[in-house]
Amino acid sequence: MNRAITTTLHHYIGGKKVPGESGRAGDIFNPATGQVTKQVPLASKEEVGQAIGVAQAAFPAWSEVPAGRRAQIMFRFRDLIRSNMDGLAEAVSSEHGKTLEDARGSITRGLEVVEYACGISQLLKGEYSGSVAAGVDSWSMRQPLGVCAGITPFNFPAMVPMWMFPLAIACGNTFVLKPSEKDPSCPLLLAELMTEAGLPEGVLNVVNGDKEAVDTLLTDPRVQAVSFVGSTAIGQYIYHTGTANNKRVQALCGAKNHMLVMPDADMDQVVDAVMGAAYGSAGERCMAVSVVVTVGEGTTERIIEKLVPRVEGLKVGPYTDPDAEMGPVVTPDARNRIMGYIDKGVEEGADLVLDGRGIQVSGHEDGCFVGATIFDRVRTNMSIYTDEIFGPVLSIVRADSYEDAVKMINEHEYGNGTAIFTRDGDAARDFSHRVQIGMVGVNVPIPVPLAFHSFGGWKRSLFGDHAIHGPEGVHFYTKLKTITSRWPSGIRSGAVFNFRAGGEH
């Protein structure tokens, strides 16, 4: 393994950089070169407990800060992200591998949630009902939970943390973030910017770590809620462990997103959509289109005819190349795992239309590059169809009919996102209503909702009762309190020993 370590990172606790003391560390790669360039400390149970304690101590005062003042900090944080965009994107790209344009785009999508959190005064408004009974009024309010935690994945080291902590903090909670140990630099920078924006010490803390850190967050009774984005196997573990320890948990997990292409679709539009949705961010995103389902005689051939030249012309390179359209995957292990899936697809009998295993990027021969790959005539029992590959591998499945296509999508264990491409409004409406998927696009390949709606899948793509950000995010990070009030008026009706109609109990 090539090693060119230049930096040892830190934790961020109580508004300060804190060196790791566990004696354990993880390697961070530059995916374009395959070299280890940094090390990240892996927190012990005691170090995570320290961060939780700091967050717990900060909660009483922070929860009493008026929502308008919390919003002002979010406005300043928003401005700091904008002015530091280049540095944040560099931190993402140098550790994840995605192009700078892609990194900036992901930060912008996170920024949208920050902007949503700036409206927290409106979002926390309760409901009021006057005179629910004689001299009795009722109203509701939403109050913060306490210490919340976020466990985030490597593929969006800026966006996904910003889908969590800004809204949690704006709601009046304190937060402990455990980012991916593969690319933690950007989350650490975001925490520093929050401090610069005026956030009090201890409200946002970042601890780097592995399973020991995760298990501490899941079992410590001071943590009230845990938000997670990552693989299904880990997400299911986090959900069951967290809820067994009396925590509120949302776990957004794996996906196998299908794009259904009807014979009447605009094939140029379809190919444009596939290029970005299948190969953007090297396929390392939970909303990537990894399966194209074709319906109708000749539909597959029309797609392949237009798609193959586009994929062959795709510029693959390091993020430092301004012309690069697709970068490497995150680590050598990820590269080898994806290559293994391509091997398996060939063994299982799928037609390999384009093979990404032999790609060479000049000057970056040891980089973690996988070329864009296309399989045709994929069957639903093949591993390249059933599993989330998380790489630039596209499977084409030929369906005999629209009904067969819908049945196929509904029978998959994942239910994160899907799309239909068609000019037929009836087919689009029917698909939108019948498909058992949490997020649906109509001629939109990656139907990620904007921040004022909520993001979440169905089936084994989401464990828990709340989706992330938007109104669901506010509900996840708050608890409902309802007050029923009567003030003495000199009118007495006597003691009541039974439930009565009209709201007086």
Side-chain angles (χ1 to χ4, degrees), residues 287-340:
M287 288 295 283
V289 167
S290 54
V291 180
V292 170
V293 183
T294 59
V295 175
E297 185 70 29
T299 302
T300 305
E301 286 73 20
R302 291 161 62 202
I303 292 174
I304 289 176
E305 180 184 4
K306 291 177 177 291
L307 180 61
V308 168
R310 293 282 300 277
V311 175
E312 289 176 332
L314 187 67
K315 179 64 182 298
V316 180
Y319 79 93
T320 51
D321 181 348
D323 296 323
E325 297 171 296
M326 188 176 84
V329 296
V330 67
T331 62
D333 284 345
R335 176 194 60 205
N336 295 338
R337 177 181 53 78
I338 296 164
M339 298 283 200

Side-chain angles (χ1 to χ4, degrees), residues 13-89:
I13 301 173
K16 301 178 181 64
K17 296 178 181 179
V18 177
E21 297 180 351
S22 70
R24 298 187 304 120
D27 291 335
I28 299 174
F29 289 85
N30 177 343
T33 64
Q35 285 189 322
V36 176
T37 57
K38 302 174 187 175
Q39 286 201 311
V40 58
L42 303 176
S44 65
K45 179 178 180 179
E46 291 72 24
E47 288 173 298
V48 179
Q50 177 192 353
I52 296 170
V54 168
Q56 184 184 42
F59 173 69
W62 178 247
S63 65
E64 294 299 324
V65 172
R69 285 180 56 193
R70 298 199 296 261
Q72 290 172 8
I73 292 173
M74 289 299 159
F75 275 114
R76 290 194 290 270
F77 180 51
R78 177 200 63 176
D79 293 341
L80 286 168
I81 291 172
R82 288 174 172 171
S83 61
N84 288 274
M85 179 66 77
D86 289 345
L88 293 170

Side-chain angles (χ1 to χ4, degrees), residues 480-497:
L480 180 69
K481 178 182 286 183
T482 304
I483 299 95
T484 302
S485 172
R486 172 191 281 145
W487 290 99
S489 63
I491 301 173
R492 297 189 60 190
S493 58
V496 176
F497 296 98

